[in-house]
Amino acid sequence: MRQLIEPENTMQKTSFRKHRVERFSTQQVTRQRKERQPKTVILFNKPYDVLPQFTDEAGRSTLKDFIPVAGVYAAGRLDRDSEGLLVLTNDGALTERMLHPSHLVEKTYLARVTGHVTLDTVRALRAGVLLDDHQTAPAKVRIIKEETFATAVLVTIHEGRNRQVRRMFEAMGHKVLQLRRVRFGPLELGDLPRGQWRELTAAEVRRLHESL
């Protein structure tokens, strides 16, 4: 009589519980590695016509063309047609605090606009203008230089509406020809050349945290 021999099951059995534990352990290790990763905060003088991101399907110029630092992302936006100070970091908690409207972080821009900016316009911008049925918060506004067909104006706001400075001037009958951010909270652009970046000093990082 032939003896029936059952084929040996060579498949490794893994319980659903064990799979969940292993997956949780892997996620925990990944999270711990990110938490142990040194915090980096970068100040970048973004040139005109550069997107404030690291990838672009259309092949346009991005931060990747200038910053060879992995894992950092822009804290907020600076439109492609604007230039100046842009903060990048791998510290997600810091980014969230920097962008949260409750912290009222001041951002200063040097705007070159068409025409002659009158004192009445300056007073109106300081008081707030109507954008999308909502009044902007009072701004700090100071005329820097008057040209024949343009005016250089220093503007400080703490809101983060889309293209806010440009739209504020447009509401007053002026088109922005050039817009450069020169300060973000306690951080100043200074004499950092266009297209260059540097890491913040420990003192600058401390002042940034203290301002939030």
Side-chain angles (χ1 to χ4, degrees):
M1 176 183 289
R2 289 186 305 172
Q3 183 179 2
L4 290 175
I5 302 177
E6 294 184 359
E8 182 181 357
N9 187 355
T10 59
M11 294 182 63
Q12 184 177 1
K13 296 181 179 179
T14 303
S15 69
F16 177 71
R17 175 175 177 147
K18 181 180 178 183
H19 175 71
R20 289 190 61 188
V21 169
E22 289 177 348
R23 186 176 64 177
F24 175 77
S25 299
T26 301
Q27 292 173 344
Q28 189 177 37
V29 169
T30 302
R31 184 165 58 250
Q32 289 174 346
R33 285 176 179 172
K34 288 183 177 180
E35 290 173 353
R36 288 197 302 265
Q37 184 180 8
K39 303 302 182 185
T40 301
V41 187
I42 288 173
L43 191 151
F44 175 50
N45 187 352
K46 187 187 87 67
Y48 174 83
D49 203 32
V50 175
L51 292 170
Q53 58 206 44
F54 281 88
T55 59
D56 180 61
E57 294 181 354
R60 294 170 294 184
S61 182
T62 68
L63 300 178
K64 187 178 180 180
D65 300 321
F66 300 88
I67 302 175
V69 181
V72 297
Y73 299 92
R77 290 188 58 83
L78 189 62
D79 292 327
R80 180 185 178 190
D81 53 356
S82 299
E83 57 186 286
L85 193 158
L86 184 65
V87 178
L88 299 95
T89 182
N90 60 356
D91 189 339
L94 177 60
T95 298
E96 185 176 351
R97 291 171 62 199
M98 289 174 64
L99 302 182
H100 199 282
S102 66
H103 293 295
L104 304 179
V105 178
E106 289 190 338
K107 293 155 288 239
T108 300
Y109 300 83
L110 182 60
R112 185 169 176 267
V113 305
T114 57
H116 175 64
V117 176
T118 65
L119 290 179
D120 286 340
T121 296
V122 170
R123 294 189 189 100
L125 292 170
R126 287 174 176 171
V129 298
L130 199 63
L131 297 180
D132 299 329
D133 298 325
H134 294 285
Q135 186 110 346
T136 61
K140 299 175 183 177
V141 182
R142 180 162 58 95
I143 294 176
I144 300 299
K145 182 181 178 181
E146 293 182 343
E147 304 174 14
T148 304
F149 300 106
T151 307
V153 186
L154 201 64
V155 182
T156 299
I157 61 174
H158 62 72
E159 294 177 295
R161 300 194 199 183
N162 184 40
R163 301 176 69 83
Q164 180 172 335
V165 174
R166 293 179 183 275
R167 294 167 62 210
M168 286 169 61
F169 278 105
E170 288 172 2
M172 303 305 300
H174 299 276
K175 180 181 179 180
V176 174
L177 302 172
Q178 183 180 23
L179 189 65
R180 181 165 79 247
R181 184 156 64 197
V182 296
R183 187 168 67 87
F184 190 108
L187 306 177
E188 296 186 2
L189 184 61
D191 57 359
L192 183 67
R194 184 179 288 107
Q196 298 297 309
W197 63 274
R198 66 174 179 83
E199 287 195 41
L200 295 190
T201 64
E204 287 175 319
V205 173
R206 183 174 62 253
R207 286 198 299 272
L208 180 58
H209 279 280
E210 291 172 349
S211 70
L212 302 174

